[in-house]
Amino acid sequence: MSARIDEEEITPLLQVEADPSEYIQKQTKLKNPREQVRALFKKEFGKYRHDGIDQVHENSRIDLGTTTSTREDTTRSRNIDGLSHAPYDFTTKQESIVAAFVVAFDTRSGNIIEWCLPQECDLDGVEFKAMVSGGHRLHKDFLYFKKDNLYGLSCFENMPVESQIERGARMKSVGILAPSYTELYKHMRFLEKQVRHLLETPGQYEDFAHFYHQKKGILPPRSDDIVDLPSVQLLSPMGDHPHLKILHPVGCFAQFIQFFGEHIFSLWKFTLLRKRILFFSPPPIGAVCYRVYCAMCLMDHTVPGLPQSLPAVQPLFYVNVADIDMLENEISYIACTTERIFETKTHLYDVYVDNQVVRGSHTPALKDMISVNRADKDKFKKLNSIRLLQRPDKFTEESLKFDDEDIFTAFFMELNNRLFSTLLGVSSSPDKQLTADHMRSVGLDPKADRTFVMELLDTYGIDVVLVVDNPCCAMS
């Protein structure tokens, strides 16, 4: 069974109505943004029903029944990038701090490890990871990074001093390492205070040492770790993405959407294809680390049955030239850098994002997917209409805390759930034929997204026959 596609045909998934918010305005009683997303997808996808696939959609649906998180929610195992993550538990050693360190810039030796605990900890290379390249032009910054199997958070500050030896500037980074980055955000305020303290009183490490001895090992979820953080939302009401929680300012997701616009769906496709994605931006780099986090959220789903042998997509956060050897061995990652030289090292990445410009390397297929098609524009309009309706109407203290995380993560999780469950449903059908209607039903353009679907089937090893415009093209 094949289907002919009219070039002027609009993808019905996200066909834009005269008033794009008309449908959701009828759902004003759905205060939970996840319910709004679910209602929108149900309405749009409901136009296309396929035998044997509808039940798959229901089995993989997101639980949207509650608006408050529970302990059970935060320990639930989730799927991201095709892998099942172990249940999150605040009492596991995964959340322990394994090292604390101070990096300083020495005018004769460059970046050096000035102090650390424990002293036997291997911190080789951390002196370059923890202090961003170009930091001499900054006053303050922070960054996340990966060191072997550990994740780090460091806070940097540059303080003017009247010292010829220090050439008028004293620069330090204070940081910590842990097996996971999910709890590092709790200590950012302390690290910010410590870097200022050590700049003003060099050599006074007592407070930092006390912090390390107090926090190493088990990290209980203490509320006093996260107080007094202005303009910050720590935990989303969604409550079921613990493996992705990281400190981000209110508006992080809104800025990510506005920054990339419709090209957010190009990034979405590249993340699902598990490509090596490198974000470039001049310093400061802290906000760009949030782009790595947001990009990771694009690929979240709850669909079982995908291959477990696929390599995990690594969130590497900040990388520099000292990481080139490591990047050469990474199969799939998302990272950011301040060093323009990476642009010329095309063997290290598949997708290079220069501020707002998304570039694909190596193959024409990747370059084709950078172009925004009509279906992408429709999805973007729908995402924005949901965001606008969820945003508080009045300027209040509560409205200042509004964040798009719930809408953002729910939208892409629902989109991914429907995409993967449709592909798996087709693969289990007798004829295994993926038609134009199937592609429209998951928000894809039957012609413009054909290459993306072929790459996706190949990446995940899903056995279907793609008959959108070439009934002889079988994907195994």
Side-chain angles (χ1 to χ4, degrees), residues 52 56 423-432 463-464:
V56 180
L423 295 178
L424 291 176
V426 170
S427 70
S428 63
S429 67
D431 58 12
K432 300 182 182 297
D463 180 18
V464 308

Side-chain angles (χ1 to χ4, degrees), residues 63-270:
D63 181 9
L64 304 173
T66 60
T67 57
T68 57
S69 61
T70 64
R71 177 66 177 172
E72 183 179 359
D73 289 330
T74 57
T75 57
R76 186 185 307 165
S77 176
R78 309 293 293 178
N79 283 337
I80 185 169
D81 60 72
L83 298 175
S84 178
H85 287 250
Y88 182 87
D89 190 338
F90 280 112
T91 62
T92 66
K93 292 184 179 180
Q94 280 296 102
E95 304 311 322
S96 62
I97 292 176
V98 299
F101 59 85
V102 178
V103 172
F105 177 76
D106 183 87
T107 55
R108 292 168 295 183
S109 304
N111 293 7
I112 60 171
I113 301 291
E114 180 179 272
W115 176 90
C116 70
L117 280 179
Q119 294 183 353
E120 66 273 14
C121 184
D122 176 16
L123 295 178
D124 184 40
V126 169
E127 65 270 28
F128 301 108
K129 291 175 176 288
M131 189 176 288
V132 66
S133 177
H136 61 281
R137 297 189 296 269
L138 299 174
H139 172 53
K140 297 179 71 174
D141 199 6
F142 70 93
L143 59 88
Y144 288 82
F145 63 90
K146 190 177 183 189
K147 157 68 174 169
D148 299 327
N149 293 322
L150 301 174
Y151 285 94
L153 168 65
S154 67
C155 291
F156 166 84
E157 188 168 344
N158 181 348
M159 185 179 76
V161 292
E162 295 182 2
S163 168
Q164 291 183 350
I165 296 178
E166 296 178 281
R167 299 177 186 173
R170 183 176 297 157
M171 293 178 281
K172 294 183 188 291
S173 281
V174 171
I176 53 179
L177 290 175
S180 168
Y181 59 88
T182 57
E183 292 293 288
L184 293 176
Y185 68 84
K186 288 187 174 183
H187 310 297
M188 184 180 287
R189 178 51 60 98
F190 173 80
L191 297 177
E192 289 176 337
K193 292 179 178 179
Q194 274 299 293
V195 71
R196 166 54 62 166
H197 169 70
L198 291 171
L199 285 170
E200 294 176 345
T201 57
Q204 300 298 310
Y205 307 116
E206 291 81 5
D207 289 347
F208 201 14
H210 177 72
F211 165 86
Y212 167 74
H213 289 297
Q214 182 185 39
K215 300 294 184 180
K216 69 177 180 179
I218 297 174
L219 282 180
R222 291 176 46 186
S223 59
D224 61 344
D225 285 330
I226 56 178
V227 297
D228 189 29
L229 290 178
S231 301
V232 168
Q233 176 170 317
L234 294 178
L235 301 181
S236 157
M238 200 159 186
D240 48 10
H241 296 271
H243 55 288
L244 287 177
K245 290 195 176 85
I246 180 176
L247 183 68
H248 63 279
V250 169
C252 167
F253 287 89
Q255 292 171 12
F256 185 73
I257 295 168
Q258 292 167 5
F259 191 75
F260 290 107
E262 295 166 346
H263 279 287
I264 194 173
F265 288 97
S266 300
L267 294 173
W268 167 67
K269 294 170 190 176
F270 290 133

Side-chain angles (χ1 to χ4, degrees), residues 203-362:
Q204 300 298 310
Y205 307 116
E206 291 81 5
D207 289 347
F208 201 14
H210 177 72
F211 165 86
Y212 167 74
H213 289 297
Q214 182 185 39
K215 300 294 184 180
K216 69 177 180 179
I218 297 174
L219 282 180
R222 291 176 46 186
S223 59
D224 61 344
D225 285 330
I226 56 178
V227 297
D228 189 29
L229 290 178
S231 301
V232 168
Q233 176 170 317
L234 294 178
L235 301 181
S236 157
M238 200 159 186
D240 48 10
H241 296 271
H243 55 288
L244 287 177
K245 290 195 176 85
I246 180 176
L247 183 68
H248 63 279
V250 169
C252 167
F253 287 89
Q255 292 171 12
F256 185 73
I257 295 168
Q258 292 167 5
F259 191 75
F260 290 107
E262 295 166 346
H263 279 287
I264 194 173
F265 288 97
S266 300
L267 294 173
W268 167 67
K269 294 170 190 176
F270 290 133
T271 60
L272 288 184
L273 293 175
R274 315 169 76 83
K275 298 302 182 183
R276 299 171 299 168
I277 301 173
L278 182 62
F279 291 92
F280 166 81
S281 178
I285 198 65
V288 189
C289 288
Y290 295 143
R291 292 177 198 166
V292 174
Y293 163 60
C294 291
M296 287 290 294
C297 292
L298 293 175
M299 59 198 307
D300 207 358
H301 66 85
T302 59
V303 178
L306 292 174
Q308 298 294 309
S309 59
L310 291 171
V313 177
Q314 298 290 337
L316 301 181
F317 298 104
Y318 174 68
V319 296
N320 57 31
V321 292
D323 296 306
I324 287 178
D325 289 344
M326 179 265 292
L327 291 176
E328 287 178 336
N329 296 314
E330 291 291 344
I331 298 174
S332 181
Y333 71 79
I334 305 178
C336 59
T337 188
T338 60
E339 301 190 24
R340 171 90 53 188
I341 192 174
F342 276 101
E343 185 176 5
T344 65
K345 300 185 179 299
T346 57
H347 67 289
L348 297 178
Y349 60 83
D350 301 309
V351 180
Y352 184 82
V353 186
D354 186 345
N355 287 296
Q356 292 172 290
V357 180
V358 183
R359 301 172 185 167
S361 66
H362 309 309

Side-chain angles (χ1 to χ4, degrees), residues 12-29:
L13 144 69
L14 302 164
Q15 214 167 20
V16 182
E17 302 158 358
D19 178 0
S21 64
E22 177 182 345
Y23 174 70
I24 307 176
Q25 285 175 339
K26 299 175 184 177
Q27 311 292 327
T28 53
K29 293 183 179 180

Side-chain angles (χ1 to χ4, degrees), residues 359-377:
R359 301 172 185 167
S361 66
H362 309 309
T363 66
L366 287 181
K367 295 178 180 179
D368 288 344
M369 278 180 264
I370 292 174
S371 301
V372 175
N373 60 49
R374 186 173 299 186
D376 296 331
K377 293 179 180 180

